[in-house]
Amino acid sequence: RSLLENVRAKVQRGLLPQWAFTDPDVFQAELERIFAKTWNFLGHESEVARPGDYVTRWIARDPVLLVRDAEGKVQAYLNSCTHRGTKLCTADFGNKKAFTCPYHGWTFNLAGELTGIVAGNKVYGKEMDRSQWSLRKIPRVESYQGMIFGSLNEHVEPLETFLGDMKWYFDLMLGRSDHGMEVRGIPQRWIIHTNWKISADNFGGDPYHTAMTHRSTVELGISPKDPMYASYGYQIVLDNGHGINIVTRRKDMNVPPFQGLPQAMWPMFERNLDPVQLDVFRNTMITVGNCFPNLSFVSPMHGTGGPDEPLTSFVNFRVWRPLTPTSIEVTSWLMVDKDAPEAFKEASYLSYVGSFGPAGTLEQDDAEIWTRVAEASQGWMTQDKDVHYNNVLNYLMGLDRVEPDPSWPGPGVAYPTCYLDAISRAFYERWIECLLDDAI
Ligand code: FES
């Protein structure tokens, strides 16, 4: 505990011990005090639109079966049979009336009730009460703007309280159209040998990396040559460790409003957003951020609008699921406005696949770098708890130098640049508070 209190003192000064990425005890504490206690993103309502639709997901190491029941309600069960614990459903998605366990054949309906036991009366008799052996429910399931979250903590605060001001920004990304968003394609999953905080921090608070890590896009003429280009906008620190960067449309850049979404959709945005949100969205080029602990998002626009390069934009959410201190499973959802024209949706999907899909250019750049951070954080020197070596990493950008901009019209503490470590500092402050708070 004194070690963690020491970490807190460092984090408050914009410093992070490198061993925080790879220390096994820290990782175990994160599973217990963060992932088992807070809200975790499970999926989008469009993925389980009809009764019987299901997807299989995880909350860290707990397998989750997310299903729309016969009454049309979304249910989340531990995806583990109550007989001997077998993982009940192994498919990523599908539609079923019931789930039959492959081990001994127990069958559960969409309400999670045990409805079938092979040779039941003969082997268990009538005295076994089947109602005691239903699937175990994930204690809390709530949704906002179609985003379904689950928590293993029965006493967790309401989802909307947890999201706080992030709701305002979710509205911009997810609630601007009459029928919301839909997941296009099947969410992709892949493994990266890194720590979950490295990727969450990268999306949450690190637009500074773009000019170097993604330099190939500059060399290809896809991104501007100006190394400050990703800084033009606002970094907005939100409560509970959340944060968002909004790279804004500048007058000299000749970029269309509303992230290039078709003009026919603009009246819809006026209907669904309040005037302040509408104005912010009109001038947004890119949003990128992180919802604590490990739900990141990026919403870029691509293309020139020319015949060979249609304008596209999309919203990409991804969960960095911790597997070990140095490995994560990424699940990545591509979302587009349900009301967008089909051609725009398809072009946006292809744009996503080529950029942030698992083989996308930007994704490859990031994964390579994050792997290197983890690789370089496992040795004798970097595991030292600051006894012999100075192992702190630098999160000092803008500290005591950049003041919040009170003219920002949206919620949160907004700074007038995206090249700043303010969100990263807030992320790690929340992280260390969780690890230290026995009550959480
Ligand atoms: Fe599922 Fe036996 S473990 S039926």
Side-chain angles (χ1 to χ4, degrees):
R1 185 170 186 96
S2 65
L3 200 58
L4 290 180
E5 275 165 3
N6 191 269
V7 171
R8 172 160 60 187
K10 286 190 167 70
V11 164
Q12 285 165 350
R13 289 185 285 121
L15 306 169
L16 181 76
Q18 192 165 351
W19 50 265
F21 293 145
T22 46
D23 184 90
D25 293 335
V26 167
F27 183 74
Q28 201 54 41
E30 290 169 346
L31 293 178
E32 180 189 329
R33 294 181 171 227
I34 297 176
F35 293 99
K37 300 295 181 194
T38 191
W39 287 102
N40 296 264
F41 181 60
L42 294 174
H44 188 261
E45 293 206 355
S46 65
E47 296 181 88
V48 286
R50 298 165 304 149
D53 282 355
Y54 70 88
V55 293
T56 52
R57 297 283 147 77
W58 295 83
I59 294 177
R61 289 167 169 181
D62 290 82
V64 177
L65 177 59
L66 190 71
V67 60
R68 174 101 40 193
D69 70 17
E71 275 73 52
K73 193 164 181 290
V74 173
Q75 305 282 359
Y77 305 112
L78 188 69
N79 187 13
S80 174
C81 179
T82 51
H83 179 221
R84 290 283 199 279
T86 309
K87 193 175 168 197
L88 184 61
C89 180
T90 52
D92 272 24
F93 68 99
N95 183 283
K96 278 178 182 285
K97 288 192 171 58
F99 296 89
T100 298
C101 179
Y103 200 169
H104 310 90
W106 283 22
T107 294
F108 303 86
N109 66 13
L110 299 179
E113 296 158 341
L114 176 60
T115 52
I117 301 179
V118 174
N121 287 343
K122 292 197 178 70
V123 292
Y124 291 106
K126 289 204 179 1
E127 52 279 8
M128 190 177 87
D129 180 1
R130 290 185 185 197
S131 70
Q132 298 299 308
W133 301 99
S134 298
L135 292 177
R136 288 158 280 186
K137 286 194 175 191
I138 301 303
R140 293 277 295 278
V141 180
E142 293 176 19
S143 65
Y144 184 77
Q145 291 288 15
M147 304 283 281
I148 306 166
F149 291 74
S151 178
L152 305 181
N153 175 11
E154 198 181 338
H155 306 293
V156 70
E157 62 195 333
L159 176 65
E160 293 205 18
T161 309
F162 166 75
L163 291 175
D165 288 335
M166 183 59 95
K167 286 192 299 174
W168 197 88
Y169 297 96
F170 272 17
D171 293 346
L172 286 186
M173 287 188 284
L174 306 167
R176 61 206 181 198
S177 296
D178 289 349
H179 297 95
M181 305 299 275
E182 65 185 10
V183 174
R184 193 171 180 92
I186 299 157
Q188 291 154 313
R189 296 185 290 116
W190 64 97
I191 304 279
I192 302 177
H193 294 288
T194 193
N195 180 263
W196 68 273
K197 299 189 291 300
I198 294 166
S199 43
D201 168 39
N202 173 282
F203 267 64
D206 193 358
Y208 178 51
H209 79 283
T210 48
M212 187 65 192
T213 304
H214 303 302
R215 196 175 52 178
S216 61
T217 64
V218 178
E219 287 167 4
L220 288 168
I222 300 168
S223 300
K225 284 200 170 61
D226 174 5
M228 295 297 286
Y229 80 91
S231 75
Y232 301 130
Y234 293 85
Q235 182 163 108
I236 304 153
V237 178
L238 304 170
D239 288 345
N240 292 340
H242 312 317
I244 183 169
N245 301 269
I246 298 189
V247 179
T248 45
R249 197 167 66 98
R250 294 187 341 157
K251 290 192 179 64
D252 59 330
M253 288 178 81
N254 195 25
V255 171
F258 298 117
Q259 293 194 302
L261 282 153
Q263 197 162 352
M265 298 175 69
W266 298 359
M268 225 170 14
F269 305 152
E270 283 173 33
R271 277 200 295 279
N272 294 300
L273 299 176
D274 71 33
V276 176
Q277 287 173 316
L278 187 71
D279 206 43
V280 168
F281 184 42
R282 181 184 289 113
N283 293 311
T284 292
M285 217 165 77
I286 304 168
T287 54
V288 58
N290 187 63
C291 186
F292 188 88
N294 64 338
L295 173 65
S296 288
F297 52 85
V298 58
S299 177
M301 58 182 292
H302 292 137
T304 59
D308 299 334
E309 230 188 327
L311 275 173
T312 63
S313 68
F314 54 80
V315 181
N316 172 214
F317 274 90
R318 58 243 326 269
V319 164
W320 320 107
R321 177 164 84 92
L323 300 175
T324 71
T326 54
S327 61
I328 58 172
E329 181 190 58
V330 186
T331 303
S332 174
W333 291 258
L334 184 277
M335 297 187 200
V336 286
D337 297 72
K338 220 182 258 185
D339 297 299
E342 178 57 26
F344 185 88
K345 291 183 192 178
E346 183 59 15
S348 294
Y349 180 73
L350 294 176
S351 167
Y352 154 74
V353 169
S355 56
F356 286 101
T361 48
L362 299 168
E363 185 61 36
Q364 295 285 308
D365 294 339
D366 286 330
E368 163 76 19
I369 291 294
W370 302 339
T371 303
R372 287 201 205 181
V373 177
E375 264 178 6
S377 303
Q378 299 177 57
W380 182 259
M381 277 184 79
T382 52
Q383 288 299 302
D384 177 76
K385 302 293 186 289
D386 306 334
V387 177
H388 304 292
Y389 313 103
N390 182 22
N391 273 333
V392 289
L393 301 175
N394 182 316
Y395 288 80
L396 293 168
M397 199 190 297
L399 184 65
D400 300 329
R401 275 190 68 231
V402 181
E403 293 296 319
D405 181 349
S407 72
W408 174 251
V413 180
Y415 296 85
T417 173
C418 296
Y419 284 2
L420 191 67
D421 286 336
I423 290 177
S424 298
R425 288 191 289 270
F427 171 84
Y428 282 110
E429 279 184 34
R430 173 72 178 160
W431 163 79
I432 196 66
E433 289 308 328
C434 289
L435 296 193
L436 280 165
D437 190 346
D438 295 322
I440 287 180

